[in-house]
Amino acid sequence: MTDAAGRVQELSDAGLRALESARTESDLLEVKGRYFGKKGAISEILKTVASLPVEEKKRIGAAANEARAALESAFDAKLSRIREQERVAREGKERVDVTLPGRAPAAGRRHPVSRTMGEIIATFQRLGFSVRGGPEIEKDYYNFEALNIPKDHPARDMQDTFYIDGMGGDLVLRTHTSPIQIRTMEAMRPPVRVIAPGAVYRCDSDVTHSPMFHQVEGFAVDRSATMADLKGLLTEFCRMMFGPELPLRFRPSYFPFTEPSAEVDIRCVICRGAGCRVCKTSGWLEILGCGMIDPSVFGFVGYDPETYTGFAFGMGVERIAMLRHGISDIRLLFENDLRFLSQFQP
Amino acid sequence: MKIIYSWLKEFIGTGLSAAQAQDALTMAGVEVSSCRFLGEGMEDVVVAKILAQGRHPNADKLSLCRVTDGSAEYGIVCGAKNMKPGDVVALARTGAKLPNGVEIRKAKIRGEVSEGMLCSEMELGLSEESAGILILPAETPLGKPLADAIGLSDWLLEVEITPNRGDCLSVLGVAREIAAITGEKIRLPAISLRESGPTIASLATVTVTDWGLCPRYSARAITGVKIAPSPDWMQRRLSLCGIRPINNIVDITNYLLLEVGQPMHAFDLDRLAGRSIDVRRSGVPRKFVTLDGAERDILPEMLLIWDGEGPVAVAGVMGGQNTEVLPDTGRVLFESAHFSPASIRWTSRRLGLSSESSYRFERGVNPGMTMYAADRAVSLLSRFASFETARGTIDVGGERDFSRTVGFRPARAGRIIGRDCTETECKAVFSRLDFPVEGDGPGRLSVTVPPHRFDIEREIDLVEEVARLTGYDKIPVTYPESGAPEFSPDDRFAKVLEDASEFLRGQGFTQAINFAFVSEKEWERHKALLGFDASDAIRLSNPISDDTTMMRPSLLMGMLHNVASNVRRFIEDVRLFEVGKAFGKSLADGHYEEPRLAFVLYGNRLPGDWGGGQAAVDFYDAKGVAESLHGFLGAIPVHFVPASSRPYLESGKSADILKDGQTIGWVGAVRRELVSALDIPGAVFYGEIRIGAAAAVTPPPAQYRPVPKFPPVSRDVACILPAHVPVGDVLAMVSELSPEIESASVFDIYMGEKIGEGNKSVAFRVKIQPSDRTLTDAEVHSIHTKIVKLLENRFGGKIRTS
C-alpha cells in the first residue's frame, strides 16, 4: 500500500504548513494534537498498517517516524519563536521607567565632625589604642590640678573655662579631653595606650572658635616610650589622615602637662606652602599638640617617672574637619542646616 | 608681643636676617607669627621741603604748595593747615601706593594740577589718627626715602610667648633666645652714669616688710629733671610696640619694660609722704585709686607699696594716682622691684586689672635684673634730659643669689628623647644658654641656671632645652613597642554608636550636633510642657550667651529647633538624629550625665516618593525606627508601653521603651502646643534612647537550631475586639499558646461604622511550624480553637466568619 506512505507525506506537509501558520502556543498545541500527537493523524495511519507485511510496515513506520521528527523539530522551533514574540510583547507592555527614583529613603548624612572623629579613632585603633571616655562636667582637679595647672597659674589663661554654678563648687565643663589621662592612669597600671574622644567646652565664640567643640586625646605610658616613638606614631597618623605626601614638622611648644612639648604642623592643605589666609602666610597649619607626659603628672597618679615614660597628644576635630572639607566658619557645623549637612558623603 | 628687629640687633650682632630669625625662633619654640617690613608702602615717599605756599584759586580749604625733594620741584594741592613754607614733609610721589591702600596719581583738583601728596601719619600707617600732615625735623635730608629718614627700614616681629617663657617677654629675652640657637653672644648696653647731687639715702628710704612677696627692691633717684616729651625715636618704638608715649619719665620706664623685661614705676618723690617706701600687704579691705583714675577694691592679702601715710601703688600691677609723675614733677624715684608671680596674678585677677607690668610679673621676671634696669633707665634718660643723679642706690635683697643648680643626666635626656645624647652635645647646648656646668659624678652634671631662666627647676626642664636647641628635626622616627592594648568597654560603646549612626543614616536620618548647653529661659517658659523643674537645672556660672545658660536635661529642644529652622528654610521633610549627653542632678553623685541618642521625624514617610509614600509620618514610623534600631544593635527584646510621664509627648501617641523592665527610651508625637510654639506647621515625632543601656550588654552568640524540615501552616483569624485592647498583648499571648506556633502577626486593622463604635476589627495571621512532623488537620484545628477561645474569653473578641 504505497497509499499509506503517500498519506504520511501529505500529512507531514499539511502539518508543517499548519505549524507555520499557528499564531499562539495553543494553536501550536492544537496542530500537534491533530497531526503528530499520540492520537494525531500520523499515529492513526500507523494503526492502519498493522496488517501489512513486515517490509511494508517497516518502510511506512520509518517514513512516519521521520515525518514526526521533522514536525517535532518544526514545532519546537515555532514554539520558541512564539514564546520569544510573546516575551517581547509582554516586556514591551510592562516596561518601567528606570529613571524614576527608587522606593528607599535617601541615605542620611554623617555630620562632618563625627565622620572626622570616627576616622581619627579608627586610625589609632589600628595602631593599637583603645577608646576611653570621661565626664564632660569635670572636677577642677582632673581638668587642671592633676594636669600640672595649679590655680592662679598663667597657663589657665590658655583655656577660657566654663564653671558650673553652685553644686559644691570646683566643677567645670572640661576644657579638653586630657582629664581622661588622669582618670585612666588612676584606674590602671602601665602599659596604657588610650585614645579619648569627646566634646569639650571653652568660653570663646567666633569664626574659628566654638564654645563647644570636640577633641581626641591620645596617650601611652610604658617603660620605654620616647619622643621618637611619638614622632613616628604621629607621622604615621598624619599620613593616614592627610595623605602620604604631605610634609609635616615638629616644633617646640608648651603645655603644662607635657615636657618636652611639641606642636605638629602640616604643610598648608590650601596653598601647599605658598602662603595664604588660612595658614596666615606661614605655609604651615597647626594640627595637633603633643609631648612627653610631665613627671609631675605621674606624681599625681602614683607612677614612678624613673620607671615609666609616656607621651600624650591632642587635636581639635572641628579644625581637621574644616581643613578637609574647606569649611571656613566653624558656626556652620552647629546650625544643623540640612542644606549644609547634605553636602557631605553619607 | 612685638619686637622691633633693629632694637633686637642692639643686643645681639646676629647674622640672621629678620626672616631667618623668624624661622629659627619658631623652630626653637618661640613662635614668630609674623614678620612685617615697616617701610612697606613707603617706597615712593621721600623727604621734601615746602618752598612756597599759596591759596588754591577755586577752593578756600585747599592750598597750593611748591615742594622740592632736592632734585625736582612739584606742585601739590594740599588740604592740611598745619604746615608753612620751610617745613620738611613727607611727599608721596605719583605712583606711590601708601600703607592705607591709597594710590597716588597725577590729578587735577578743582582745576589745579597736583603731582603727588603730602602725607599725614595716619596715611602712612604710623598712627590711628593725625591732625595734619607729618612735619619732620628741619635737618632731615631732602630726597631721602622716608622709611630710612624715620627709621622704618626695619622689621616688626610678632612673637607668641607661651606662659612658661616669661623670660622672653622683652627684646633682651628674645636676643638671648637667638644666642642660644646660634651661639652668638649677647651684649648688654653699657651704663654710663654720672652721680652728683645728694645721696639717695638722704632722699628716700625703702623697707620691705613682706619680703616673701617682694624678694628684691632696687631704686634710683634723680632730681632737677624737667618733664618733657621723649625723643621721636623712643616715641616711635613705644608706639610700634603698642604703648602710648606720655612723657620722658614714664616713657623711660616703659622702654625698659620692653627692652629688658623689667617693669618699673616712677614715683614723684615730693609726693611720697615721709619720702619713705614700704612693701607690705593691705591687711584690711580698702579703696584705692589707681593711675587710670579707677577706684579699686583692695583685699587684705593684696601687696601694696606704701609711703609714710598710706598706699601709693598696687605692687607690680599699677601705680596710684596720688604719686604719679605730673608736668611739674622735679624729683623722681625709679622703682625696679621683683614681686612673686602668684601674688601678682592673684591680685590682677581679683581686681580685673591687667597691665604690661602685671602680665610680666605673673609670668616671671628676672630678679637679677632690677638694679641693671634702674641704672640703664637713668643712663639712657641722661642722653636726652638733664638732671642730677642721686648718689648711690637702694637695693633691698640685692645680695641674694637668684641662680639655682639642677642635676642633669645625659642618659635621661636620651631616654626621653629617644636617641643618644652625649655629654658633649648637652654641654654645648648649656654653653649657648650661658648655663655653667660642672661634673657631678659619672653620667651626672650639675647645671647652674641663671636667674633669668626661672622656668628651669627640674631635670626634665633641661631635657627640654637639649631637645629643642638641638632641634626636633634631629629626633628620629621610631615606633612604639607593640603590646596588647587593654580591653575597654568604651571600645564597644564607640562601636555601638558607629553602628547606630550607620543604621539611622540608612533610614534617611542625617546627623546633627547641637550645643550641650541650652537656654534655661526657654525651658522655664515651657516648663509645664517639658516637665522641667528649675531645681534640677545645672547652670553655668559664666555662660557665653543667654541661649546657653544650662546643661540640657534632654536633647529634645535642640532637635525641635533644628526642625523649625530647616522648615523655615523651605525644607519639607526633616529626619535628624543626634548622639550626645543629657545632664541632671542626682541624689547619689550630685549630678549625672548620660549618653542619649535622639531622632526626629517630620514631613513625609518616604520623602521624594512619587507613588504612595507621601503620607505624613506617624507614630508607627517613629516606633519602627526605635524598634529596628534596637534589633540592629542586638539590644532585644524591647517592649513599648504607653508613656506615663512625658509631658512633652502627646499622651495618646507616645510610648516608653522597656528593656528588662527598665525604661531605656521613649518615642512619640511631640505635644502640639510645643510644636506650634516653635512655629512648626506639622506634627513632629521624636524618640530619645538611653544608648548606654543598648551598649551595656554584649549579646551572647546566637545558638544554632535545626532549620524546619516540614511545611508550615498558616491560619488567619479575623476578630472584632474592643478598641482599647492592646494588640501587642494579644500577639504576645497568642504566640505563647502552643509550642507549635512560630509567630503571630497582624495583617489588617479596620475601625468604622460597620463594626460599631468602640470596636476594631483585627485580622491575625498565625504561622504554625512543628519542628519534627507534619501536623494533622485535627492538630491544626485544635490550635485554631485555642486561639479563638483566647480571643473570645480573654480579650472579649468576636470572631468574624465572613
Side-chain angles (χ1 to χ4, degrees):
Chain A
M1 260 186 71
T2 53
D3 248 12
R7 278 281 293 144
V8 168
Q9 188 58 52
E10 275 169 31
L11 283 172
S12 170
D13 293 347
L16 287 172
R17 280 196 301 275
L19 284 174
E20 192 49 45
S21 54
R23 291 257 166 272
T24 64
E25 200 169 325
S26 65
D27 286 355
L28 215 53
L29 287 170
E30 191 271 327
V31 172
K32 179 174 181 175
R34 189 140 46 92
Y35 291 95
F36 58 99
K38 279 199 178 96
K39 290 177 179 165
I42 292 176
S43 301
E44 291 305 315
I45 288 175
L46 286 177
K47 284 181 196 159
T48 64
V49 300
S51 55
L52 294 178
V54 175
E55 284 301 307
E56 197 69 347
K57 257 203 303 204
K58 264 194 188 158
R59 195 173 59 80
I60 291 170
N65 284 341
E66 197 180 314
R68 207 156 33 194
L71 285 163
E72 288 282 358
S73 127
F75 174 87
D76 288 348
K78 181 70 184 196
L79 181 62
S80 57
R81 240 185 8 259
I82 285 174
R83 285 191 176 164
E84 178 61 13
Q85 281 162 4
E86 281 176 356
R87 184 187 69 78
V88 169
R90 183 190 75 237
E91 287 183 358
K93 241 188 289 173
E94 295 173 359
R95 184 171 295 274
V96 297
D97 179 354
V98 298
T99 64
L100 271 174
R103 198 171 282 123
R109 305 304 170 102
R110 186 166 188 179
H111 195 287
V113 168
S114 159
R115 176 187 196 77
T116 303
M117 184 132 110
E119 282 180 41
I120 296 170
I121 294 171
T123 303
F124 282 106
Q125 280 178 325
R126 280 203 296 280
L127 296 167
F129 285 71
S130 58
V131 175
R132 283 207 165 226
E136 293 175 22
I137 295 178
E138 186 56 282
K139 292 191 171 79
D140 185 280
Y141 175 80
Y142 288 108
N143 196 74
F144 293 120
E145 293 281 328
L147 286 163
N148 205 24
I149 315 173
K151 283 208 168 65
D152 290 319
H153 188 277
R156 289 216 177 182
D157 290 349
M158 293 168 90
Q159 301 170 0
D160 291 320
T161 311
F162 283 115
Y163 294 89
I164 299 291
D165 190 35
M167 314 266 300
D170 269 3
L171 287 177
V172 301
L173 289 185
R174 66 177 177 199
T175 57
H176 45 188
T177 40
S178 309
I180 298 173
Q181 268 186 50
I182 306 299
R183 288 180 171 274
T184 303
M185 290 193 277
E186 275 185 353
M188 45 191 298
R189 308 299 306 167
V192 295
R193 195 172 301 173
V194 165
I195 194 90
V200 300
Y201 304 86
R202 289 184 200 177
C203 217
D204 203 355
S205 181
D206 60 32
V207 176
T208 53
H209 296 90
S210 170
M212 182 183 96
F213 61 103
H214 298 79
Q215 276 190 343
V216 177
E217 175 97 358
F219 54 98
V221 181
D222 56 39
R223 287 171 190 275
S224 66
T226 66
M227 271 193 100
D229 291 346
L230 174 64
K231 199 172 167 181
L233 185 78
L234 293 178
T235 301
E236 207 52 42
F237 166 75
C238 288
R239 283 186 181 145
M240 286 185 185
M241 284 302 284
F242 301 102
E245 304 303 330
L246 206 62
L248 64 151
R249 69 178 191 187
F250 285 70
R251 178 164 58 74
S253 187
Y254 167 75
F255 305 102
F257 39 94
T258 52
E259 183 160 5
S261 303
E263 201 92 55
V264 179
D265 299 340
I266 56 168
R267 186 54 93 195
C268 178
V269 293
I270 312 291
C271 65
R272 300 275 147 186
C276 68
R277 207 176 48 83
V278 175
C279 61
K280 297 187 190 108
T281 75
S282 73
W284 295 96
L285 294 169
E286 276 176 33
I287 217 70
L288 55 83
C290 62
M292 300 303 291
I293 296 173
D294 194 288
S296 48
V297 172
F298 282 165
F300 281 100
V301 297
Y303 283 12
D304 176 10
E306 288 294 316
T307 311
Y308 298 113
T309 54
F311 55 73
F313 52 87
M315 63 196 93
V317 181
E318 275 77 1
R319 176 165 169 78
I320 296 178
M322 288 167 76
L323 287 173
R324 298 178 95 202
H325 296 293
I327 300 165
S328 52
D329 185 341
I330 196 168
R331 291 169 292 205
L332 285 168
L333 293 171
F334 302 100
E335 282 173 6
N336 300 314
D337 183 338
L338 281 163
R339 297 168 306 173
F340 170 79
L341 292 174
S342 59
Q343 294 174 17
F344 306 97
Q345 309 91 313
Chain B
M1 184 189 56
K2 293 183 167 68
I3 294 285
I4 299 168
Y5 197 61
S6 61
W7 198 351
L8 186 73
K9 290 193 75 157
E10 289 173 15
F11 285 80
I12 183 161
T14 178
L16 299 180
S17 70
Q20 285 168 331
Q22 176 185 22
D23 267 3
L25 286 166
T26 299
M27 292 313 287
V30 179
E31 187 184 354
V32 181
S33 58
S34 77
C35 172
R36 185 166 68 85
F37 180 63
L38 290 170
E40 203 176 318
M42 295 188 194
E43 292 81 358
D44 287 299
V45 183
V46 296
V47 178
K49 186 179 195 170
I50 300 178
L51 299 172
Q53 185 179 3
R55 288 190 44 188
H56 190 293
N58 306 321
D60 288 347
K61 293 191 171 162
L62 298 177
S63 56
L64 294 179
C65 298
R66 292 299 298 168
V67 303
T68 175
D69 62 5
S71 47
E73 283 191 25
Y74 305 84
I76 308 285
V77 177
C78 186
K81 297 250 177 285
N82 65 323
M83 69 289 192
K84 57 182 189 305
D87 278 349
V88 176
V89 295
L91 168 68
R93 293 187 293 213
T94 55
K97 200 170 173 191
L98 298 180
N100 68 355
V102 171
E103 257 182 88
I104 306 300
R105 278 186 295 257
K106 192 166 177 172
K108 258 193 186 170
I109 300 170
R110 297 274 187 109
E112 293 292 326
V113 174
S114 186
E115 299 169 291
M117 186 173 94
L118 306 184
C119 304
S120 70
E121 290 196 38
M122 191 173 69
E123 286 153 345
L124 293 167
L126 298 175
S127 69
E128 298 293 311
E129 49 181 18
S130 42
I133 60 168
L134 172 64
I135 309 289
L136 296 162
E139 67 277 11
T140 317
L142 298 188
K144 197 171 186 185
L146 181 73
D148 290 343
I150 60 175
L152 289 182
S153 282
D154 204 344
W155 283 263
L156 190 66
L157 309 186
E158 184 68 55
V159 189
E160 316 285 339
I161 306 291
T162 53
N164 59 325
R165 292 305 303 274
D167 65 294
C168 285
L169 287 170
S170 65
V171 176
L172 172 61
V174 175
R176 279 206 177 102
E177 200 54 27
I178 290 181
I181 298 165
T182 62
E184 292 158 325
K185 290 286 168 229
I186 287 290
R187 44 168 202 242
L188 283 180
I191 305 290
S192 85
L193 277 175
R194 208 160 40 78
E195 294 181 348
S196 55
T199 62
I200 190 165
S202 68
L203 292 173
T205 57
V206 172
T207 318
V208 177
T209 302
D210 276 316
W211 57 269
L213 300 184
C214 175
R216 191 169 178 190
Y217 197 107
S218 310
R220 274 267 182 198
I222 59 171
T223 57
V225 71
K226 190 168 160 23
I227 304 299
S230 315
D232 284 349
W233 62 267
M234 180 174 279
Q235 292 198 28
R236 186 101 59 217
R237 279 187 171 179
L238 292 173
S239 299
L240 282 169
C241 294
I243 291 182
R244 193 163 52 91
I246 305 213
N247 58 45
N248 48 5
I249 301 298
V250 175
D251 289 357
I252 198 83
T253 61
N254 285 330
Y255 191 84
L256 263 294
L257 171 132
L258 294 174
E259 186 176 75
V260 300
Q262 173 63 53
M264 293 176 64
H265 186 65
F267 292 106
D268 182 334
L269 196 48
D270 292 311
R271 299 173 72 198
L272 276 182
R275 298 207 303 266
S276 72
I277 291 280
D278 187 12
V279 187
R280 65 172 196 270
R281 290 186 180 88
S282 173
V284 295
R286 68 179 76 234
K287 307 274 186 195
F288 179 69
V289 180
T290 40
L291 273 176
D292 54 4
E295 189 180 68
R296 308 282 173 180
D297 288 310
I298 304 294
L299 299 176
E301 300 85 349
M302 290 179 179
L303 190 68
L304 301 177
I305 310 294
W306 304 70
D307 67 6
E309 283 170 1
V312 291
V314 182
V317 180
M318 193 175 277
Q321 212 173 36
N322 52 9
T323 49
E324 73 175 315
V325 170
L326 295 174
D328 61 352
T329 296
R331 301 204 289 177
V332 173
L333 182 76
F334 287 109
E335 165 197 288
S336 178
H338 185 74
F339 301 109
S340 129
S343 155
I344 298 296
R345 179 171 169 80
W346 185 85
T347 301
S348 157
R349 296 278 285 192
R350 292 304 176 284
L351 292 179
L353 174 61
S354 179
S355 62
E356 291 282 348
S357 165
S358 69
Y359 184 80
R360 281 170 177 76
F361 275 127
E362 66 185 47
R363 279 162 177 73
V365 163
N366 176 4
M369 204 65 183
T370 54
M371 202 64 249
Y372 175 84
D375 288 348
R376 163 89 173 137
V378 174
S379 159
L380 188 57
L381 185 64
S382 69
R383 280 167 47 189
F384 53 83
S386 66
F387 52 82
E388 292 198 313
T389 307
R391 272 174 288 152
T393 58
I394 289 170
D395 194 6
V396 181
E399 71 290 351
R400 286 173 147 169
D401 179 6
F402 294 97
S403 61
R404 62 167 70 85
T405 44
V406 179
F408 177 79
R409 294 162 292 170
R412 174 76 181 165
R415 199 178 147 202
I416 298 283
I417 297 170
R419 68 173 174 84
D420 283 338
C421 295
T422 63
E423 195 171 307
T424 321
E425 181 188 24
C426 296
K427 277 179 166 168
V429 168
F430 298 141
S431 147
R432 268 145 57 199
L433 282 164
D434 222 356
F435 295 179
V437 177
E438 283 172 37
D440 186 25
R444 299 184 73 93
L445 300 175
S446 171
V447 180
T448 303
V449 180
H452 71 267
R453 287 305 302 273
F454 38 78
D455 61 311
I456 293 179
E457 297 175 312
R458 305 168 299 165
E459 184 179 37
I460 192 72
D461 302 327
L462 291 171
V463 171
E464 179 173 60
E465 294 302 295
V466 170
R468 72 183 184 92
L469 291 171
T470 52
Y472 280 10
D473 53 337
K474 300 284 191 310
I475 300 174
V477 168
T478 60
Y479 297 96
E481 278 174 38
S482 63
E486 99 289 10
F487 167 77
S488 165
D490 296 345
D491 276 317
R492 178 169 153 70
F493 186 61
K495 170 80 164 59
V496 165
L497 294 185
E498 289 277 317
D499 287 352
S501 130
E502 190 179 325
F503 171 81
L504 287 165
R505 293 201 305 277
Q507 301 289 309
F509 289 83
T510 289
Q511 186 176 19
I513 299 182
N514 285 290
F515 288 159
F517 20 58
V518 292
S519 160
E520 184 177 355
K521 245 190 243 163
E522 184 180 53
W523 278 73
E524 189 60 37
R525 195 160 58 237
H526 304 302
K527 66 178 171 190
L529 286 171
L530 291 166
F532 172 64
D533 180 347
S535 68
D536 285 336
I538 297 183
R539 300 185 185 92
L540 302 183
S541 325
N542 54 336
I544 203 160
S545 77
D546 271 3
D547 295 335
T548 56
T549 53
M550 170 180 86
M551 299 310 285
R552 58 185 172 195
S554 145
L555 277 54
L556 175 77
M557 289 310 282
M559 303 233 78
L560 285 185
H561 279 294
N562 296 157
V563 173
S565 64
N566 277 296
V567 169
R568 275 201 302 279
R569 290 154 183 160
F570 307 102
I571 290 165
E572 291 166 355
D573 306 294
V574 181
R575 284 182 183 218
L576 289 169
F577 76 99
E578 178 172 11
V579 179
K581 283 178 171 173
F583 301 81
K585 289 194 174 160
S586 80
L587 282 178
D589 305 312
H591 73 278
Y592 69 86
E593 47 185 80
E594 184 179 67
R596 302 267 176 92
L597 183 153
F599 60 88
V600 67
L601 292 95
Y602 171 86
N604 290 334
R605 178 162 302 153
L606 213 47
D609 189 39
W610 39 270
Q614 298 91 338
V617 287
D618 65 19
F619 172 80
Y620 298 103
D621 293 298
K623 179 183 172 183
V625 171
E627 235 169 0
S628 343
L629 174 65
H630 282 95
F632 187 80
L633 299 177
I636 42 175
V638 291
H639 302 286
F640 291 77
V641 299
S644 46
S645 58
R646 307 272 164 221
Y648 62 73
L649 298 179
E650 295 271 320
S651 66
K653 287 185 193 164
S654 59
D656 280 346
I657 307 170
L658 303 184
K659 182 165 181 293
D660 305 325
Q662 301 289 316
T663 303
I664 61 160
W666 42 94
V667 60
V670 178
R671 273 280 283 279
R672 215 169 292 167
E673 296 85 342
L674 201 52
V675 170
S676 37
L678 294 178
D679 290 329
I680 302 172
V684 178
F685 292 86
Y686 179 75
E688 187 163 324
I689 291 161
R690 297 182 155 137
I691 191 68
V697 279
T698 313
Q703 297 300 302
Y704 162 77
R705 282 173 293 121
V707 175
K709 294 191 183 71
F710 303 92
V713 181
S714 271
R715 278 290 175 275
D716 291 351
V717 182
C719 177
I720 293 171
L721 288 165
H724 62 80
V725 169
V727 174
D729 291 3
V730 179
L731 290 174
M733 292 200 70
V734 169
S735 310
E736 296 297 314
L737 269 180
S738 143
E740 276 78 29
I741 294 179
E742 188 190 86
S743 66
S745 58
V746 174
F747 65 92
D748 190 35
I749 290 212
Y750 170 77
M751 290 176 93
E753 286 170 19
K754 272 197 263 175
I755 52 166
E757 193 160 324
N759 288 328
K760 58 187 169 192
S761 165
V762 185
F764 298 96
R765 176 160 298 159
V766 180
K767 193 171 165 197
I768 305 167
Q769 173 76 73
S771 59
D772 54 350
R773 68 214 143 92
T774 303
L775 289 182
T776 64
D777 284 352
E779 283 173 313
V780 173
H781 185 73
S782 137
I783 290 172
H784 185 257
T785 309
K786 275 193 199 166
I787 295 169
V788 169
K789 286 239 169 74
L790 178 84
L791 289 170
E792 287 176 344
N793 301 342
R794 179 71 190 248
F795 295 104
K798 263 191 250 130
I799 304 303
R800 303 182 79 183
T801 45
S802 59

